[in-house]
Amino acid sequence: MWVTEALADYISSTRPKDLTPVAREMARRCILDLVGAAAAGFETAAARAVRNVVPRIFARGAAAVWFSDWRLQGSPAAMLNSSAASALDLDDGHRAAGGHPGASIIPAAVAGAEEVEAGAEELLAAIVIGYEVGIRVAAARDFAALDTLSSGRWCAYGAAAAAGFLRKMAPQKLAQALAIAGVQAPGLSASGYSAVMGNNVKEGIPWSTLTGLVALDLADQGFTGPTDILDHPSYYDRAAIVAGLGFGFAIEKVYFKPYSCCRWSHSALDALLGLLAEHHINPGEIRKVDVYTFSRATRLNNAVNPHSLEGAQYSVPFALAVAALRGERALLPLPPECLGQPDLVAFAEKVKLHSDPDLDLSFPAKTQARVVLGTSRGDYEKLVVDAQGDPPIP
């Protein structure tokens, strides 16, 4: 049996009654968090651009475009809602996956539930199943060998799983849909090598969401894919995907984000804000900021003077500047008006990033950072192991 077939059997055999109380509650929290992120991101330039294009291509249908009076077919509605939800980098994440399941899976599940008129318990089950499938696939990769950890590479599996459950698709067709979704999901290699991280594509989550849902339609019409896609050890750890499947739920370990910027900067932000509060440090006293963190964080674009909102989201120095000079509330969400502010750029220039091999050892399970502030009164240091919103400090 191929892994896609094992996952298809799991999707089709799971019932709402199988959810643990914790999984059901986390699904509710994920919905609340994701809809909040989408509300904040609805009027961003990226979300508006997608809304201006998608309705020209797709037909009207039963699925709502959130915060509007539009109704489209499920796949384009989910793409639009995913675009808003992922625009500000406020969407949830999962350490094992190294990325963001909610911005894809929840829009896909909600649109699917509207199309088949599913009830609340079925919707919650679909979300839990989508997270389970997507996160298991993402976690089974060799992170060290990947050029990018972009969520769009794997979230199509979760979107297809969630909506496929709601459609009650036969396991044979579900397996084909997972294969189609996986092979046709965006590759996003440029996200790993491009120096221009400040672009609207970001992690490719909305397009992957569309891909996952269209894969269901294709499979339903007899279209086939490489059902052994997850069985090649050069790409995936097959055993890790299926081990313990049906016992416990990955959604129970989701994290939520208090700052609208890349999660890899959050431990540094917590450390900086902690030092300012604990030692009553005025930002004007700070001469330099040394951030010791895992290597992947040092390879973000980290522009001290980013020229786009997305560029700011992927800049540890700029996020630290906003937190220090404008306060943490200025990161919820990070406003475009912060771009180009001379005092923020000047503070960001004081920030130096350093790769710490010891902190690399715990990645991706932990995204730690140690911050050392050099001030006129002396040096102050703080290590953050778990950022706010991680399961240990929800």
Side-chain angles (χ1 to χ4, degrees), residues 88 113 146 172 196 221 259 322 333:
L88 291 172
L146 296 174
Q172 300 92 329
V196 189
Q221 295 299 315
Y259 315 125
V322 173

Side-chain angles (χ1 to χ4, degrees), residues 120-142:
E121 290 303 308
E122 288 179 297
L123 172 61
L124 293 175
I127 290 169
V128 171
I129 290 166
Y131 274 65
E132 192 69 25
V133 170
I135 290 167
R136 280 177 173 269
V137 170
R141 302 170 299 166
D142 180 359

Side-chain angles (χ1 to χ4, degrees), residues 342-365:
D343 60 335
L344 295 176
V345 174
F347 189 97
E349 289 174 340
K350 299 178 183 180
V351 179
K352 303 300 178 188
L353 302 179
H354 311 272
S355 295
D356 187 324
D358 291 334
L359 301 187
D360 273 331
L361 296 175
S362 62
F363 180 80

Side-chain angles (χ1 to χ4, degrees), residues 90-150:
L90 273 169
D91 41 315
D92 69 28
H94 197 284
R95 289 278 179 241
H100 305 280
S104 174
I105 293 162
I106 291 175
V110 171
E114 288 177 302
E115 288 193 309
V116 302
E117 298 182 342
E121 290 303 308
E122 288 179 297
L123 172 61
L124 293 175
I127 290 169
V128 171
I129 290 166
Y131 274 65
E132 192 69 25
V133 170
I135 290 167
R136 280 177 173 269
V137 170
R141 302 170 299 166
D142 180 359
F143 280 36
L146 296 174
D147 53 0
T148 176
L149 300 186
S150 294

Side-chain angles (χ1 to χ4, degrees), residues 259-260 269 272-273 276 281-284 286 304-305 317-348:
Y259 315 125
S260 62
L269 284 164
L272 170 70
L273 290 166
L276 295 179
I281 298 170
N282 186 303
I286 299 173
V304 297
N305 186 15
F318 194 77
L320 291 175
V322 173
L325 300 183
R326 302 289 189 269
E328 62 183 295
R329 294 293 298 177
L331 290 165
L332 194 62
L334 197 159
E337 294 75 26
C338 284
L339 299 176
Q341 293 294 314
D343 60 335
L344 295 176
V345 174
F347 189 97

